[in-house]
C-alpha cells in the first residue's frame, strides 16, 4: 500500500512562525516535565473542574432580577404581580427588600405591559419630598420642593376618582409682590389619563377644577385647565351659559337612550338568551323653551274699588245801606262755612246763582292671568332597532321550497310588542321599532402559538448553547493543552525504544542482517511516531525527519504517486 502524500512545505512569511511555535511547544513540554508540576497536576485538574462547574452554575442559574417600582403599596404589588403573571413574566417578591422584581431581560416589557393596564396607580407622597429636604437649602429650592409636594398631593387626590388612572398637576405660582398692579394670578393645568372604556362627565370635570382652585389661595376657576391623554380640553375657559346648556342637553339625551336600551335588553334577554341580541335606541328631543302668558277678562263680574261725590253752589246777597257810590257797590261774595248757624227767621233767603254736583265710582273688571312653561326636554321621536341572532336552520328536504324565516313571525310580534311597551311607543309622535334576525359572526379567537413560541424553549436553547460553548472550549482548547503537558516528550527520531538500546546478534548473522533488523525497527518507530503525532505541525516535523534520514526512499515514493498523473499529462 502506497504511503499517503506528504503535505507541501509551508513557504513564505508563515514559515517563520513554525520555529516560534516549535519553541513554545518545547518550553511547554519542559515546563510540564518538571516533577513539582506533575505532583501538583491532580490539584490543578480538580481546581480547573471546580472553576468550570462554578462558571456553568453561574451561567445556568436563575437570571438576575431587577426591582420594577420601588416603594409600591401592598395592594399595588398584588395587582402588579397578577398582571405580570398573566402576561407571561415571572415576577416575584424580593425576600430582602420586599419589592417586586422581574428578570432583567423582561424589565422593559414588564413596564410597557403595566403601562397598558394603567398600573401602578399609586403615586409618591408629597411628604417624602419635604422629609428629605436637607438643612440649609436655599429659598428657591425650598419653594420648588413645596410646589412639587403640593402638585403630588393634588395628583394623588385626583387619582382617587375611579375613572382616572393617573394624573399630573402643574402649578404656576407667581412670586408675591408688594405692588398690587404687578401681582399675577396663580394658574394650574391638570393632565388626566382616563381608564380605557371610561369617560368623565361635566360634573366630574367641574369637581376637579374646584378641587384644584380651592387648594391654591387666590386661584380662580377659570384659571384651571384640564386635558386628557387624547389632547382634548375637558375644562372651559369661560362659563358660557349656552355651552353649558348644550352639554347638559346632550348628556340628558344620552342618559335617556341608555335607559331605554337597558329596558329593552332586560326584557328581551331572557327570551333570546345572553349575547343573542343587539339593541340601539335613538331619541330626537326638542329643547325649545316656550313661555305662554294668557289673560282673561270677565265683564259680568265687577267690584267697586272707590266712589267720590262733589257738590258746588254759588249765591249773591241782597243790597243794603245808603245809596251812594260806595254803598251801591256789591258786597263780596259770601263764603259758605261748614257748621255756620242757620239764617235767622226774619232774614230773607239769599238768591242762588249756580249749583253743580259730581259723583265718581271706580269698578274693577274680573281678570285671570295664566303663565305656562312647557317642559324644555320634550321627546319628539323614538327609534329602536333590535337585531336577534338567527338560529341555525335544518337542512331543507325540498330544494324548491322557500327557506323558512330566520325569525318566526309569532316570536317577532311578541318581541315588537315588548319593545314598544319598553320605550312608550306613540304612533302619533312617529316612533319606529325595527326587529330583525341575522346570523352573528363568532368572536375571532387568535390561533394558539405553537411550542416554538414558549418562553422556556428560548431559555433551554440559551442554556444548551452555553453548554456547547463550554464543551468546545474544554475539548478543543483545554484537552490538547493538558495532553501536551501531561504526555512525556517523544523520543528522538532514529533512537531505539525504551528497553531496546542494544541489538542481540545471533550466531552466523552478518552485518547486513543486523542493519536490516535495525531498519525494520526504525520503520516501526517511524510509524509509531506518526500515529502519536496529533496535530498537523507535529506530523510535518516527523515527515521532515524521515526525509532527512532516507531521501531516496521518499523520492521514489513520490515519483510512484505522480507517475500516473505524468502519463496522463504526456
Amino acid at each position: 500500500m502506497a504511503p499517503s502524500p506528504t503535505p507541501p512545505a509551508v513557504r513564505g512569511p508563515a514559515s517563520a512562525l513554525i520555529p516560534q511555535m516549535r519553541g513554545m511547544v518545547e518550553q511547554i513540554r519542559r515546563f510540564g516535565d518538571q516533577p513539582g508540576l506533575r505532583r501538583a497536576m491532580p490539584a490543578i485538574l480538580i481546581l480547573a473542574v471546580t472553576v468550570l462547574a462554578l462558571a456553568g452554575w453561574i451561567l445556568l442559574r436563575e437570571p438576575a432580577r431587577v426591582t420594577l417600582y420601588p416603594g409600591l403599596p401592598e395592594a399595588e404589588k398584588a395587582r402588579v404581580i397578577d398582571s405580570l403573571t398573566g402576561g407571561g413574566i415571572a415576577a416575584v417578591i424580593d425576600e430582602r427588600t420586599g419589592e417586586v422584581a422581574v428578570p432583567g431581560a423582561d424589565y422593559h416589557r414588564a413596564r410597557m405591559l403595566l403601562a397598558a393596564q394603567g398600573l401602578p396607580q399609586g403615586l409618591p407622597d408629597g411628604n417624602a419630598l419635604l422629609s428629605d429636604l436637607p438643612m440649609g437649602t436655599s429659598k428657591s429650592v425650598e419653594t420648588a420642593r413645596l410646589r412639587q409636594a403640593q402638585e403630588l398631593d393634588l395628583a394623588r387626590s385626583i387619582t382617587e376618582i375611579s375613572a382616572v388612572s393617573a394624573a399630573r398637576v402643574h402649578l404656576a405660582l407667581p412670586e408675591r409682590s408688594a405692588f398690587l398692579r404687578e401681582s399675577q394670578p396663580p394658574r394650574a393645568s391638570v393632565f388626566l389619563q382616563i381608564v380605557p372604556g371610561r369617560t368623565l362627565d361635566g360634573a366630574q370635570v367641574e369637581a376637579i377644577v374646584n378641587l384644584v382652585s380651592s387648594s391654591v389661595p387666590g386661584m380662580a376657576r377659570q384659571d384651571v385647565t384640564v386635558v386628557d391623554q387624547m389632547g382634548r380640553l375637558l375644562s372651559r375657559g369661560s362659563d358660557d351659559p349656552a355651552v353649558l346648556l348644550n352639554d347638559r342637553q346632550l348628556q340628558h339625551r344620552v342618559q335617556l337612550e341608555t335607559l331605554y336600551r337597558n329596558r329593552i335588553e332586560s326584557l328581551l334577554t331572557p327570551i333570546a338568551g345572553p349575547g343573542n341580541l343587539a339593541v340601539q335606541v335613538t331619541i330626537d328631543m326638542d329643547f325649545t323653551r316656550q313661555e305662554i302668558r294668557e289673560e282673561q277678562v270677565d265683564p259680568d263680574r265687577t267690584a267697586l274699588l272707590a266712589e267720590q261725590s262733589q257738590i258746588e253752589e254759588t249765591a249773591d246777597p241782597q243790597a243794603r245801606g245808603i245809596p251812594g257810590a260806595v254803598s251801591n257797590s256789591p258786597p263780596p261774595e259770601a263764603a259758605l262755612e261748614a257748621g255756620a248757624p242757620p239764617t235767622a227767621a226774619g232774614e230773607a233767603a239769599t238768591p242762588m246763582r249756580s249749583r253743580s254736583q259730581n259723583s265718581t265710582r271706580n269698578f274693577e273688571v274680573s281678570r285671570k292671568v295664566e303663565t305656562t312653561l312647557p317642559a324644555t326636554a320634550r321627546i319628539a321621536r323614538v327609534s329602536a332597532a333590535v337585531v336577534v341572532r338567527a338560529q341555525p336552520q335544518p337542512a331543507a328536504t325540498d330544494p324548491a321550497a322557500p327557506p323558512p324565516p330566520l325569525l318566526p313571525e309569532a316570536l317577532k310580534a311578541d318581541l315588537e310588542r315588548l319593545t314598544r311597551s319598553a320605550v312608550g311607543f306613540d304612533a302619533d309622535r312617529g316612533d319606529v321599532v325595527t326587529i330583525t334576525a341575522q346570523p352573528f359572526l363568532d368572536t375571532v379567537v387568535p390561533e394558539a402559538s405553537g411550542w416554538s413560541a414558549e418562553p422556556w424553549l428560548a431559555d433551554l436553547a440559551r442554556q444548551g448553547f452555553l453548554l456547547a460553548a463550554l464543551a468546545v472550549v474544554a475539548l478543543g482548547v483545554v484537552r490538547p493543552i493538558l495532553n501536551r503537558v501531561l504526555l512525556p516528550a517523544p523520543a528522538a527520531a532514529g533512537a531505539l525504544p525504551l528497553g531496546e538500546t542494544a541489538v542481540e546478534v545471533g550466531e552466523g548473522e552478518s552485518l547486513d542482517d543486523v542493519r536490516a533488523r535495525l531498519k525494520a525497527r526504525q520503520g516501526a518507530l517511524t510509524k509509531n511516531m506518526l500515529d502519536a503525532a496529533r496535530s498537523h505541525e507535529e506530523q510535518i516535523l516527523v515527515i521532515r525527519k524521515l526525509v532527512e534520514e532516507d531521501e531516496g526512499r521518499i523520492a521514489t515514493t513520490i515519483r510512484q504517486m505522480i507517475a500516473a498523473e505524468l502519463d496522463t499529462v504526456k
Side-chain angles (χ1 to χ4, degrees):
M1 178 173 140
S4 58
T6 304
V10 180
R11 301 296 180 183
S15 60
L17 298 176
I18 296 177
Q20 298 179 3
M21 295 177 61
R22 188 181 305 171
M24 293 176 60
V25 172
E26 291 295 335
Q27 291 179 3
I28 294 175
R29 287 179 179 178
R30 293 175 182 175
F31 180 75
D33 291 339
Q34 297 179 4
L37 181 61
R38 290 181 177 275
R39 289 193 299 268
M41 189 56 63
I44 295 175
L45 291 177
I46 295 174
L47 180 61
V49 171
T50 304
V51 171
L52 291 177
L54 182 60
W57 176 79
I58 293 176
L59 294 175
L60 299 179
R61 66 172 182 174
E62 187 178 358
R65 297 186 176 273
V66 182
T67 301
L68 196 59
Y69 289 105
L72 286 179
E74 301 301 329
E76 291 290 335
K77 292 179 183 178
R79 286 194 288 266
V80 166
I81 290 180
D82 291 341
S83 300
L84 294 179
T85 304
I89 299 177
V92 297
I93 298 294
D94 194 344
E95 297 180 356
R96 296 174 299 172
T97 61
E99 303 293 344
V100 179
V102 296
D106 298 332
Y107 176 75
H108 297 286
R109 188 164 68 92
R111 291 180 66 93
M112 293 178 63
L113 179 62
L114 294 177
Q117 300 181 5
L119 294 175
Q121 297 180 357
L123 293 176
D125 191 0
N127 295 329
L129 296 177
L130 299 180
S131 60
D132 297 339
L133 193 64
M135 184 176 297
T137 307
S138 62
K139 183 179 180 181
S140 58
V141 175
E142 182 180 355
T143 304
R145 286 290 186 91
L146 290 174
R147 183 177 67 252
Q148 187 178 5
Q150 192 174 8
E151 292 173 351
L152 290 176
D153 290 338
L154 287 174
R156 285 175 59 89
S157 301
I158 294 174
T159 51
E160 295 298 329
I161 301 175
S162 59
V164 179
S165 61
R168 289 198 300 269
V169 179
H170 305 279
L171 298 178
L173 305 178
E175 296 183 0
R176 295 183 179 181
S177 176
F179 301 96
L180 185 60
R181 295 180 179 179
E182 298 180 359
S183 61
Q184 297 292 333
R187 293 180 175 85
S189 58
V190 182
F191 179 81
L192 302 178
Q193 186 173 358
I194 311 299
V195 176
R198 301 287 297 276
T199 57
L200 286 179
D201 54 10
Q204 291 175 322
V205 175
E206 291 296 327
I208 294 175
V209 171
N210 291 331
L211 174 64
V212 176
S213 61
S214 302
S215 302
V216 180
M219 181 177 292
R221 296 177 61 255
Q222 60 269 16
D223 293 333
V224 180
T225 304
V226 182
V227 183
D228 63 356
Q229 74 269 24
M230 302 302 295
R232 294 173 297 189
L233 180 64
L234 303 181
S235 61
R236 300 163 188 84
S238 61
D239 298 334
D240 188 1
V243 176
L244 297 177
L245 181 61
N246 292 335
D247 291 343
R248 286 196 297 267
Q249 290 174 358
L250 179 60
Q251 183 180 0
H252 181 65
R253 176 182 173 181
V254 172
Q255 289 178 354
L256 282 182
E257 291 177 351
T258 304
L259 177 62
Y260 281 17
R261 183 170 59 253
N262 293 337
R263 287 180 179 177
I264 297 174
E265 290 179 351
S266 62
L267 286 176
L268 303 186
T269 299
I271 300 175
N276 292 331
L277 56 87
V279 181
Q280 288 295 333
V281 179
T282 303
I283 300 178
D284 297 335
M285 304 191 68
D286 185 9
F287 294 97
T288 304
R289 295 178 60 89
Q290 296 179 357
E291 182 176 353
I292 302 175
R293 185 180 181 88
E294 183 180 0
E295 184 175 353
Q296 297 179 357
V297 179
D298 189 1
D300 298 333
R301 300 178 61 184
T302 60
L304 180 61
L305 295 180
E307 183 178 1
Q308 181 179 3
S309 299
Q310 182 179 3
I311 300 176
E312 295 182 359
E313 294 182 355
T314 303
D316 295 334
Q318 295 180 357
R320 295 180 181 179
I322 303 172
V326 179
S327 61
N328 290 335
S329 60
E333 185 177 357
L336 297 178
E337 298 179 2
T343 306
E347 296 181 356
T350 305
M352 185 69 63
R353 178 185 291 182
S354 62
R355 180 186 178 87
S356 62
Q357 182 177 358
N358 295 328
S359 179
T360 302
R361 290 183 178 182
N362 296 328
F363 294 91
E364 181 69 25
V365 180
S366 179
R367 182 174 57 182
K368 181 180 180 182
V369 179
E370 294 182 356
T371 302
T372 305
L373 296 176
T376 56
R378 185 179 62 85
I379 297 177
R381 184 182 178 183
V382 178
S383 301
V386 181
V387 181
V388 184
R389 182 193 294 270
Q391 299 299 327
Q393 301 294 333
T397 57
D398 187 6
L406 299 177
L407 186 65
E409 295 296 334
L411 179 59
K412 182 178 181 180
D414 293 341
L415 296 179
E416 186 173 356
R417 284 194 296 269
L418 291 174
T419 304
R420 290 186 175 185
S421 301
V423 300
F425 183 83
D426 188 358
D428 297 336
R429 195 170 53 189
D431 296 349
V432 178
V433 175
T434 304
I435 298 179
T436 184
Q438 293 294 333
F440 287 8
L441 293 178
D442 296 332
T443 305
V444 178
V445 179
E447 184 179 357
S449 58
W451 59 272
S452 58
E454 295 293 334
W456 59 267
L457 183 62
D459 297 338
L460 182 62
R462 182 168 57 253
Q463 295 176 3
F465 177 76
L466 294 177
L467 290 177
L470 289 176
V472 170
V473 172
L475 298 178
V477 178
V478 178
R479 182 178 176 182
I481 294 176
L482 292 178
N483 291 335
R484 293 179 181 180
V485 172
L486 298 179
L487 291 178
L496 293 178
L498 185 63
E500 295 186 2
T501 56
V503 178
E504 183 180 357
V505 180
E507 295 182 0
E509 289 185 346
S510 61
L511 184 60
D512 294 335
D513 297 335
V514 174
R515 289 180 177 176
R517 291 173 57 186
L518 290 175
K519 287 184 178 181
R521 292 184 180 182
Q522 186 177 2
L525 177 61
T526 304
K527 185 176 181 303
N528 294 333
M529 292 176 62
L530 287 174
D531 294 338
R534 298 181 180 274
S535 62
H536 183 68
E537 291 79 3
E538 294 179 355
Q539 294 177 357
I540 291 177
L541 293 176
V542 173
I543 293 174
R544 285 184 176 181
K545 189 67 175 177
L546 292 176
V547 172
E548 293 176 358
E549 293 179 354
D550 196 352
E551 297 178 357
R553 183 178 178 184
I554 297 300
T556 304
T557 303
I558 294 176
R559 188 180 300 109
Q560 293 177 358
M561 293 173 57
I562 64 176
E565 297 183 0
L566 291 176
D567 295 340
T568 303
V569 172
K570 292 179 180 180

